[in-house]
Amino acid sequence: MTAAIAPRTFAVPHPPPVESPTLLNLLIVEDERAVREACREAASSLGYRTSTAESAEQGLRLIDSQGIDVILLDLKLPGVGGVEVLRQIKKRRPDIEVIVVTGHGTVQSAVQAMKAGAYDYVTKPFSLEELKLLLQRVAFHLKLKTENRVLREKIKSKQGFGSIIGRAPEMDKLYRIIAKAAHSVHPVLILGESGTGKEMVARAIHHSGLFRDKSFIPVDCGSLVPTLIESELFGYVKGAFTGAMQSKEGLLAIAEGGTVFLDEVAELPVDLQAKMLRALQEKEIRPVGSTKQIAINVRILAATNCDLEQAVAQGSFRRDLYFRLNVLSLRIPPLRERRQDIPLLAAHVLERLAHTSGRAHELSDDAMKALLGYDWPGSVRELENCVERCCAMTSSTVIHTVDLPSSITGAPVQLATRAPETRIMPMADLEKQTIIGTIAQLNGDKLMAAKLLGIGKTTLYRKLKEYGAEL
């Protein structure tokens, strides 16, 4: 092995650090012992679990018996040709990424290998730094493939968190809290602005937990008059009021063993809050007009878009009920705090509409930029309605900016940072400011930033390296 500079240069600069390289298994198929051991040492220093083979036959046996993620394959092996070995690898395990090693002056064989499915190639003599760079690139590539596969499964899934779409860091935190809440029997207080999906989160808690096989009953406390809320929740007996021709069981009793979701719980009248508090404490209710208590076994999930602490201070919500409901609490971030999920959510809505209508639509780059620049006061619900409206109104399969509501197109697009109007800024500085500002606006999602800026990810990483920015 020599430290000579390789005759080939990489088009892609150093990628962002790989989070879990120790989970990747690398097989080195190389007949020269010195080269094989040097490559093994370089890969191990990055965190790869490594194994080696001296021949193609030994390598193929290891592929059949071990979980291999990446293969470093010498094309000049004794016996069978390296390209043919590559084809056999891809036939047996198409998911394995193969980096081929070729000698100087035999680039044509590397081209054949690329056509046969190789991830990339390196030419002898090569430096260990070049090899490490390539191994980091393939690890980053596999990480993205895994994330995309998990994301597709999450979108397709109809259980658990399948109906909640999002991969922003704020959503990952929410998923962890939902998982903890799902395996508890305590009340949960769900906080979030209108349109963030509070009922969706409540359903995720119910269907992921201990009560999944029981009833989930939502109650909109803000849409019913006080007398109706009481009779709906607690039930009533025959003759309790005019029109009560027969007794009716309340939802808290009907949901036996299941979950009752109190949406907009802050709208409960104060006198009804006292009855709800007793129901939670004593595990029993008294139907309207009855003198007997009925035992209940139900879990309460409550949600509001109000500041309940302020409501308690103002006297419109009982302090004791607030503490009883707030045993576990979670906050759903509004869409403006997780803008990187906007393309994902829009794509999910488009896919659902295409499924029901049989007509597929897509968003143009300009339309996506407008969606990303809007603040979405109605959060996810507003985005969903926007996409549905565009699909219904446009005659084209591509949704352009002109198809969006004026409230969105009239909003300032916040992705690019404008140059100060008081001085002239050099183009290089403006470019740097725009790229870094876009990545910051998207919470670090560099691939989406490259797409929205209309540049390749290779160019983006090269620019960041030039700026000395953290990759």
Short mmCIF file of all heavy atoms in Angstrom, two decimals, residues 339 342 363-376 383 386 400-402 404-405 407-415 452:
data_model
loop_
_atom_site.label_atom_id
_atom_site.label_comp_id
_atom_site.label_asym_id
_atom_site.label_seq_id
_atom_site.Cartn_x
_atom_site.Cartn_y
_atom_site.Cartn_z
N ARG A 339 -40.76 23.13 9.57
CA ARG A 339 -40.97 23.37 8.15
C ARG A 339 -40.42 22.26 7.27
O ARG A 339 -40.91 22.04 6.16
CB ARG A 339 -40.33 24.70 7.74
CG ARG A 339 -41.00 25.93 8.35
CD ARG A 339 -40.28 27.20 7.93
NE ARG A 339 -40.78 28.35 8.67
CZ ARG A 339 -41.80 29.10 8.29
NH1 ARG A 339 -42.42 28.83 7.17
NH2 ARG A 339 -42.19 30.12 9.02
N ILE A 342 -42.93 19.92 5.73
CA ILE A 342 -43.94 20.38 4.78
C ILE A 342 -43.92 19.57 3.49
O ILE A 342 -44.98 19.12 3.02
CB ILE A 342 -43.79 21.89 4.50
CG1 ILE A 342 -44.17 22.69 5.76
CG2 ILE A 342 -44.64 22.34 3.32
CD1 ILE A 342 -43.95 24.18 5.65
N LEU A 363 -46.22 18.97 -6.99
CA LEU A 363 -45.96 20.39 -6.75
C LEU A 363 -44.72 20.83 -7.50
O LEU A 363 -43.69 20.15 -7.47
CB LEU A 363 -45.78 20.65 -5.26
CG LEU A 363 -47.05 20.57 -4.40
CD1 LEU A 363 -46.67 20.29 -2.95
CD2 LEU A 363 -47.84 21.85 -4.49
N SER A 364 -44.80 21.98 -8.16
CA SER A 364 -43.62 22.54 -8.80
C SER A 364 -42.66 23.06 -7.74
O SER A 364 -43.04 23.26 -6.57
CB SER A 364 -44.02 23.68 -9.75
OG SER A 364 -44.49 24.80 -9.00
N ASP A 365 -41.41 23.29 -8.13
CA ASP A 365 -40.42 23.81 -7.18
C ASP A 365 -40.83 25.17 -6.62
O ASP A 365 -40.66 25.43 -5.43
CB ASP A 365 -39.05 23.91 -7.86
CG ASP A 365 -38.45 22.54 -8.14
OD1 ASP A 365 -38.93 21.56 -7.54
OD2 ASP A 365 -37.53 22.45 -8.96
N ASP A 366 -41.38 26.04 -7.49
CA ASP A 366 -41.80 27.37 -7.03
C ASP A 366 -42.95 27.27 -6.03
O ASP A 366 -42.99 28.00 -5.04
CB ASP A 366 -42.21 28.24 -8.22
CG ASP A 366 -41.01 28.69 -9.04
OD1 ASP A 366 -39.88 28.60 -8.52
OD2 ASP A 366 -41.21 29.11 -10.20
N ALA A 367 -43.87 26.35 -6.29
CA ALA A 367 -45.00 26.17 -5.37
C ALA A 367 -44.50 25.65 -4.02
O ALA A 367 -44.96 26.09 -2.96
CB ALA A 367 -46.02 25.21 -5.96
N MET A 368 -43.53 24.73 -4.05
CA MET A 368 -42.99 24.20 -2.80
C MET A 368 -42.27 25.29 -2.02
O MET A 368 -42.36 25.36 -0.78
CB MET A 368 -42.04 23.03 -3.09
CG MET A 368 -41.46 22.39 -1.84
SD MET A 368 -42.73 21.75 -0.70
CE MET A 368 -43.30 20.34 -1.64
N LYS A 369 -41.55 26.17 -2.72
CA LYS A 369 -40.88 27.26 -2.03
C LYS A 369 -41.90 28.17 -1.34
O LYS A 369 -41.68 28.65 -0.23
CB LYS A 369 -40.06 28.08 -3.03
CG LYS A 369 -38.80 27.39 -3.51
CD LYS A 369 -38.02 28.28 -4.47
CE LYS A 369 -36.76 27.58 -4.97
NZ LYS A 369 -36.00 28.43 -5.93
N ALA A 370 -43.04 28.40 -2.00
CA ALA A 370 -44.08 29.23 -1.40
C ALA A 370 -44.66 28.56 -0.15
O ALA A 370 -44.91 29.22 0.86
CB ALA A 370 -45.18 29.51 -2.42
N LEU A 371 -44.87 27.25 -0.22
CA LEU A 371 -45.39 26.53 0.95
C LEU A 371 -44.41 26.59 2.11
O LEU A 371 -44.81 26.74 3.27
CB LEU A 371 -45.67 25.06 0.58
CG LEU A 371 -46.73 24.78 -0.48
CD1 LEU A 371 -46.93 23.28 -0.65
CD2 LEU A 371 -48.06 25.44 -0.14
N LEU A 372 -43.12 26.48 1.80
CA LEU A 372 -42.11 26.52 2.86
C LEU A 372 -41.94 27.90 3.46
O LEU A 372 -41.52 28.05 4.61
CB LEU A 372 -40.77 26.03 2.30
CG LEU A 372 -40.66 24.52 2.07
CD1 LEU A 372 -39.47 24.20 1.18
CD2 LEU A 372 -40.53 23.78 3.39
N GLY A 373 -42.29 28.93 2.71
CA GLY A 373 -42.14 30.28 3.21
C GLY A 373 -43.32 30.80 3.98
O GLY A 373 -43.24 31.86 4.61
N TYR A 374 -44.43 30.06 3.97
CA TYR A 374 -45.66 30.49 4.64
C TYR A 374 -45.66 30.02 6.09
O TYR A 374 -45.12 28.97 6.42
CB TYR A 374 -46.86 29.91 3.88
CG TYR A 374 -48.21 30.32 4.38
CD1 TYR A 374 -48.57 31.66 4.47
CD2 TYR A 374 -49.15 29.35 4.74
CE1 TYR A 374 -49.83 32.02 4.92
CE2 TYR A 374 -50.41 29.70 5.18
CZ TYR A 374 -50.74 31.04 5.28
OH TYR A 374 -51.99 31.41 5.73
N ASP A 375 -46.28 30.79 6.97
CA ASP A 375 -46.25 30.49 8.41
C ASP A 375 -47.30 29.47 8.87
O ASP A 375 -47.21 28.96 9.99
CB ASP A 375 -46.43 31.78 9.23
CG ASP A 375 -45.09 32.40 9.60
OD1 ASP A 375 -44.06 31.72 9.44
OD2 ASP A 375 -45.07 33.55 10.03
N TRP A 376 -48.32 29.19 8.07
CA TRP A 376 -49.35 28.19 8.37
C TRP A 376 -49.98 28.39 9.74
O TRP A 376 -49.81 27.55 10.65
CB TRP A 376 -48.77 26.77 8.26
CG TRP A 376 -48.25 26.48 6.89
CD1 TRP A 376 -46.96 26.42 6.49
CD2 TRP A 376 -49.05 26.25 5.71
NE1 TRP A 376 -46.89 26.18 5.15
CE2 TRP A 376 -48.14 26.06 4.65
CE3 TRP A 376 -50.42 26.19 5.45
CZ2 TRP A 376 -48.57 25.82 3.35
CZ3 TRP A 376 -50.84 25.95 4.17
CH2 TRP A 376 -49.93 25.76 3.12
N LEU A 383 -52.59 23.18 5.72
CA LEU A 383 -51.81 22.66 4.60
C LEU A 383 -52.60 21.60 3.84
O LEU A 383 -52.62 21.59 2.60
CB LEU A 383 -50.50 22.06 5.12
CG LEU A 383 -49.63 21.33 4.09
CD1 LEU A 383 -49.16 22.28 3.01
CD2 LEU A 383 -48.44 20.65 4.77
N CYS A 386 -55.24 23.24 1.80
CA CYS A 386 -54.62 23.96 0.69
C CYS A 386 -54.31 23.01 -0.47
O CYS A 386 -54.65 23.29 -1.63
CB CYS A 386 -53.35 24.66 1.16
SG CYS A 386 -52.35 25.36 -0.17
N HIS A 400 -48.78 24.76 -9.66
CA HIS A 400 -47.84 25.88 -9.72
C HIS A 400 -48.21 26.93 -8.69
O HIS A 400 -49.27 26.86 -8.04
CB HIS A 400 -47.83 26.48 -11.12
CG HIS A 400 -47.34 25.54 -12.18
ND1 HIS A 400 -46.01 25.27 -12.38
CD2 HIS A 400 -48.02 24.77 -13.09
CE1 HIS A 400 -45.88 24.39 -13.37
NE2 HIS A 400 -47.08 24.07 -13.81
N THR A 401 -47.37 27.93 -8.55
CA THR A 401 -47.61 28.99 -7.58
C THR A 401 -48.94 29.68 -7.83
O THR A 401 -49.65 30.05 -6.88
CB THR A 401 -46.47 30.03 -7.64
OG1 THR A 401 -45.22 29.35 -7.50
CG2 THR A 401 -46.61 31.04 -6.52
N VAL A 402 -49.30 29.84 -9.10
CA VAL A 402 -50.55 30.53 -9.44
C VAL A 402 -51.77 29.76 -8.93
O VAL A 402 -52.85 30.35 -8.74
CB VAL A 402 -50.64 30.74 -10.97
CG1 VAL A 402 -50.82 29.41 -11.68
CG2 VAL A 402 -51.75 31.71 -11.32
N LEU A 404 -51.95 28.33 -5.98
CA LEU A 404 -52.03 28.44 -4.53
C LEU A 404 -52.91 29.61 -4.11
O LEU A 404 -53.05 30.58 -4.86
CB LEU A 404 -50.64 28.61 -3.93
CG LEU A 404 -49.63 27.49 -4.19
CD1 LEU A 404 -48.27 27.87 -3.63
CD2 LEU A 404 -50.11 26.18 -3.58
N PRO A 405 -53.51 29.55 -2.92
CA PRO A 405 -54.31 30.68 -2.42
C PRO A 405 -53.45 31.94 -2.31
O PRO A 405 -52.25 31.87 -2.04
CB PRO A 405 -54.77 30.20 -1.04
CG PRO A 405 -54.69 28.71 -1.10
CD PRO A 405 -53.55 28.40 -2.00
N SER A 407 -53.35 34.07 -0.04
CA SER A 407 -52.80 34.26 1.30
C SER A 407 -51.43 33.63 1.44
O SER A 407 -50.62 34.06 2.27
CB SER A 407 -53.75 33.65 2.34
OG SER A 407 -53.93 32.26 2.10
N ILE A 408 -51.15 32.62 0.62
CA ILE A 408 -49.86 31.94 0.67
C ILE A 408 -48.86 32.60 -0.27
O ILE A 408 -47.73 32.87 0.10
CB ILE A 408 -50.02 30.45 0.34
CG1 ILE A 408 -50.84 29.75 1.42
CG2 ILE A 408 -48.66 29.76 0.18
CD1 ILE A 408 -51.14 28.31 1.15
N THR A 409 -49.29 32.87 -1.47
CA THR A 409 -48.36 33.47 -2.43
C THR A 409 -48.03 34.91 -2.07
O THR A 409 -46.97 35.42 -2.44
CB THR A 409 -48.97 33.45 -3.84
OG1 THR A 409 -50.25 34.12 -3.81
CG2 THR A 409 -49.17 32.03 -4.32
N GLY A 410 -48.90 35.55 -1.30
CA GLY A 410 -48.63 36.93 -0.89
C GLY A 410 -47.72 37.01 0.31
O GLY A 410 -47.20 38.07 0.63
N ALA A 411 -47.51 35.87 1.01
CA ALA A 411 -46.65 35.87 2.18
C ALA A 411 -45.20 35.90 1.75
O ALA A 411 -44.83 35.31 0.74
CB ALA A 411 -46.92 34.62 3.03
N PRO A 412 -44.34 36.54 2.51
CA PRO A 412 -42.92 36.59 2.13
C PRO A 412 -42.27 35.22 2.28
O PRO A 412 -42.50 34.51 3.25
CB PRO A 412 -42.32 37.58 3.13
CG PRO A 412 -43.24 37.53 4.31
CD PRO A 412 -44.61 37.28 3.75
N VAL A 413 -41.52 34.82 1.27
CA VAL A 413 -40.77 33.58 1.35
C VAL A 413 -39.54 33.81 2.21
O VAL A 413 -38.73 34.67 1.93
CB VAL A 413 -40.36 33.11 -0.06
CG1 VAL A 413 -39.54 31.84 0.02
CG2 VAL A 413 -41.60 32.90 -0.92
N GLN A 414 -39.40 33.05 3.28
CA GLN A 414 -38.39 33.33 4.29
C GLN A 414 -37.13 32.48 4.16
O GLN A 414 -36.29 32.48 5.03
CB GLN A 414 -39.00 33.09 5.68
CG GLN A 414 -40.23 33.94 5.92
CD GLN A 414 -40.92 33.54 7.20
OE1 GLN A 414 -40.43 32.71 7.95
NE2 GLN A 414 -42.06 34.12 7.46
N LEU A 415 -37.03 31.73 3.05
CA LEU A 415 -35.90 30.80 2.96
C LEU A 415 -34.58 31.51 2.69
O LEU A 415 -33.56 31.16 3.22
CB LEU A 415 -36.16 29.79 1.84
CG LEU A 415 -37.29 28.81 2.13
CD1 LEU A 415 -37.48 27.89 0.96
CD2 LEU A 415 -36.99 28.02 3.38
N LEU A 452 -34.27 22.74 -3.09
CA LEU A 452 -34.97 24.01 -3.19
C LEU A 452 -34.10 25.10 -3.81
O LEU A 452 -34.61 26.00 -4.49
CB LEU A 452 -35.45 24.46 -1.80
CG LEU A 452 -36.50 23.58 -1.15
CD1 LEU A 452 -36.83 24.09 0.23
CD2 LEU A 452 -37.76 23.53 -2.00
#
